[in-house]
Amino acid sequence: MPAAPSAVLAHPAPSPAESAAFMLAKLQYHADAWDVAEDLRAGLADIVVIDTRAEALYAAGHVPGALSLPHRRMDAASTAGLDRTKTYVTYCDGIGCNGSTKGAYKLAALGFSVKEMLGGLDFWRRDGHPLATGSAPGSMRDAQLLECGCA
């Protein structure tokens, strides 16, 4: 009896060079919660994390160190005080929410360097990272990170 054709290989894999270029492009657009947490804990000043959700959701729990800037209010006036030399990392609730994508789009259209945090607050919590509450950003500086499962 002949073997069934491969569903995976019905569309052949790209060349190694094509795969490398594609994966690099993905990394240029996205960051994961673990990498964001490590940079925030280290106090790196090159990134600014933006919570694109409504202010009430931000106050209920957000990434420590993140600024609240709901995507619906992003425009030239609301972003005038942002430093254009930084890279902004947007997030929202998770994969079922596109607020981080809308925020990243708006920031990029306004001339800011931007990445989107994969999985949003959902993946942040799944990784075991702490939340800050209230209207103040809080800090990750003294947070203890668990062991990364994908290292």
Side-chain angles (χ1 to χ4, degrees):
M1 188 169 191
S6 170
V8 170
L9 299 177
H11 303 283
S15 71
E18 290 170 317
S19 288
F22 179 78
M23 296 305 162
L24 176 60
K26 284 179 64 171
L27 291 169
Q28 290 174 317
Y29 293 99
H30 298 112
D32 69 6
W34 196 267
D35 291 345
V36 171
E38 284 188 341
D39 282 3
L40 289 173
R41 187 175 60 82
L44 296 181
D46 295 335
I47 67 163
V48 177
V49 179
I50 301 288
D51 187 315
T52 65
R53 303 171 304 146
E55 290 161 336
L57 293 173
Y58 175 88
H62 59 269
V63 170
L67 302 179
S68 177
L69 184 55
H71 70 86
R72 295 184 194 280
R73 292 199 352 240
M74 287 182 184
D75 59 21
S78 68
T79 61
L82 298 180
D83 184 343
R84 291 184 181 276
T85 66
K86 309 285 185 187
T87 295
Y88 292 87
V89 180
T90 62
Y91 76 90
C92 57
D93 282 330
I95 61 172
C97 174
N98 67 2
S100 60
T101 304
K102 290 177 180 177
Y105 166 74
K106 288 180 179 181
L107 289 172
L110 290 164
F112 293 95
S113 295
V114 64
K115 288 188 172 206
E116 186 176 17
M117 187 172 82
L118 296 171
L121 204 57
D122 180 33
F123 284 17
W124 181 267
R125 285 189 194 119
R126 287 184 194 196
D127 282 350
H129 301 308
L131 294 179
T133 57
S135 60
S139 175
M140 280 288 291
R141 287 291 293 189
D142 296 320
Q144 294 296 319
L145 298 183
L146 303 173
E147 196 67 31
C148 178
C150 64

